[in-house]
């Protein structure tokens, strides 16, 4: 049977900044198809509105089947007694409105760490008793402006994979603006409707899964935990971003 990898890979190349970011998305999708939750990881996509992250979410959910995908937000993992009950039996979870408390900070991350690290989670089901389960869904989240992390512990840093999607997809894109690209409406639906594209995506995901196993769960993103956390924090914390871009270390003559 004919397969077409170019459609999906071209789309993911179009929305991501680097090839390694594209491949990290595919690594995590492959992780979601593996039995259990063998690796400690969650992915956060971020960037301006209209940057394609909603279409990526739609593509990934459609690929695994809508019935096999959840849409639990990080806030709901902490504040909604029934949210974790949506995760059992799912391959992926994509929360598309990541936020924090009133100060823009995610203060309580224990449930997220359990969901992205293979620990047991307590779940509530309406009109039923609570029960414990081990999450198998690969956890994806997205935000225009991601909230700050209330913890800077290694247990958070080594799970976090931040994926920047810097482009804006608009009609009549400005050819002089490198961050504007021409919008293709409903591209995820078009890709999902093409059997050759779906076979191509399956082949790619299987290859990423094999590579993950061979490399003991090492994702394609080249940065280590501290560097990944810094990438995320530069976007989540305006002061950190300002200090990095606008301030320079004092020279000897200023001391």
């Amino acid at each position: 049977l004919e397969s077409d990898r170019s459609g999906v890979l071209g789309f993911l190349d179009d929305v991501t900044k680097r090839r390694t970011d594209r491949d990290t998305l595919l690594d995590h999708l492959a992780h979601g198809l593996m039995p259990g939750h063998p690796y400690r990881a969650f992915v956060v996509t971020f960037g301006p509105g209209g940057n394609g992250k909603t279409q990526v979410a739609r593509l990934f959910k459609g690929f695994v089947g809508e019935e096999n995908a959840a849409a639990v937000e990080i806030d709901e993992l902490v504040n909604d007694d029934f949210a974790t009950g949506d995760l059992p039996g799912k391959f992926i979870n994509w929360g598309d409105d990541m936020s924090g408390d009133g100060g823009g900070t995610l203060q309580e991350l224990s449930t997220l760490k359990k969901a992205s690290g293979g620990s047991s989670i307590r779940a509530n089901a309406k009109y039923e008793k609570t029960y414990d389960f081990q999450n198998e869904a690969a956890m994806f989240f997205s935000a225009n402006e991601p909230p700050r992390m209330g913890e800077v512990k290694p247990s958070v840093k080594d799970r976090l994979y931040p994926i920047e999607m810097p482009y804006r997809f608009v009609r009549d894109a400005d050819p002089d603006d490198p961050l504007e690209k021409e919008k293709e409406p409903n591209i995820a639906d078009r890709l999902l409707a093409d059997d050759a594209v779906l076979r191509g995506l399956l082949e790619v995901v299987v290859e990423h899964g094999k590579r993950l196993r061979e490399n003991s769960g090492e994702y394609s993103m080249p940065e280590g935990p501290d560097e990944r956390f810094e990438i995320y924090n530069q976007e989540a914390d305006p002061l950190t971003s300002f200090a990095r871009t606008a301030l320079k270390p004092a020279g000897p003559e200023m001391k």
Side-chain angles (χ1 to χ4, degrees):
L1 295 175
E2 181 184 1
S3 66
D4 175 16
R5 301 182 178 202
S6 63
V8 165
L9 294 180
F11 165 59
L12 294 177
D13 279 334
D14 216 25
V15 300
T16 51
K17 189 176 182 179
R18 310 179 300 178
R19 177 68 59 86
T20 52
D21 293 339
R22 179 203 77 178
D23 286 344
T24 296
L25 287 173
L26 292 166
D27 290 339
H28 204 45
L29 179 58
H31 188 189
L33 299 186
M34 294 179 179
H37 197 291
Y39 310 121
R40 294 153 58 106
F42 67 94
V43 164
V44 176
T45 67
F46 62 88
N51 70 347
K53 56 185 178 288
T54 299
Q55 291 298 309
V56 177
R58 187 170 182 83
L59 173 65
F60 282 16
K61 288 180 179 180
F63 172 67
V64 303
E66 292 289 341
E67 69 280 7
N68 297 314
V72 179
E73 308 291 348
I74 283 183
D75 289 4
E76 292 175 328
L77 289 176
V78 177
N79 300 317
D80 186 340
D81 289 340
F82 299 103
T84 53
D86 291 341
L87 295 176
K90 300 300 192 292
F91 295 156
I92 69 170
N93 176 81
W94 197 302
D96 62 2
D97 188 20
M98 190 179 181
S99 60
D101 61 18
T105 302
L106 293 169
Q107 298 288 3
E108 175 52 63
L109 299 176
S110 61
T111 306
L112 173 61
K113 289 189 289 185
K114 291 177 181 178
S116 59
S119 299
S120 293
I121 306 174
R122 178 61 54 88
N124 287 336
K126 291 184 178 180
Y127 313 118
E128 297 181 15
K129 294 182 179 180
T130 60
Y131 60 95
D132 293 335
F133 74 100
Q134 182 175 321
N135 177 51
E136 297 190 23
M139 305 298 282
F140 292 89
F141 303 98
S142 60
N144 292 348
E145 298 179 1
R148 294 183 295 275
M149 295 288 179
E151 291 184 25
V152 295
K153 298 177 181 178
S155 57
V156 174
K157 292 180 179 180
D158 67 3
R159 287 169 164 82
L160 172 62
Y161 289 87
I163 305 296
E164 183 179 7
M165 296 183 178
Y167 306 106
R168 299 183 303 274
F169 292 85
V170 298
R171 296 183 184 278
D172 300 320
D174 182 352
D176 296 323
D177 187 340
L179 295 179
E180 278 194 3
K181 295 186 177 184
E182 197 66 29
K183 181 178 182 179
E184 185 176 345
N186 303 316
I187 185 171
D189 290 339
R190 180 178 63 79
L191 293 171
L192 290 168
D194 190 324
D195 288 343
V197 167
L198 289 179
R199 283 191 288 270
L201 177 55
L202 178 60
E203 291 174 357
V204 170
V205 169
V206 168
E207 289 176 2
H208 276 258
K210 289 180 178 178
R211 194 194 65 80
L212 275 179
R213 289 192 181 278
E214 291 169 356
N215 294 307
S216 301
E218 182 179 342
Y219 280 31
S220 298
M221 199 170 185
E223 292 83 4
D226 288 332
E227 293 173 291
R228 297 198 304 268
F229 189 81
E230 180 65 18
I231 291 170
Y232 179 89
N233 206 39
Q234 287 168 11
E235 186 68 21
D237 189 337
L239 291 178
T240 298
S241 179
F242 174 79
R244 180 175 179 273
T245 57
L247 302 180
K248 296 182 180 179
E253 70 280 0
M254 298 181 66
K255 293 182 180 179

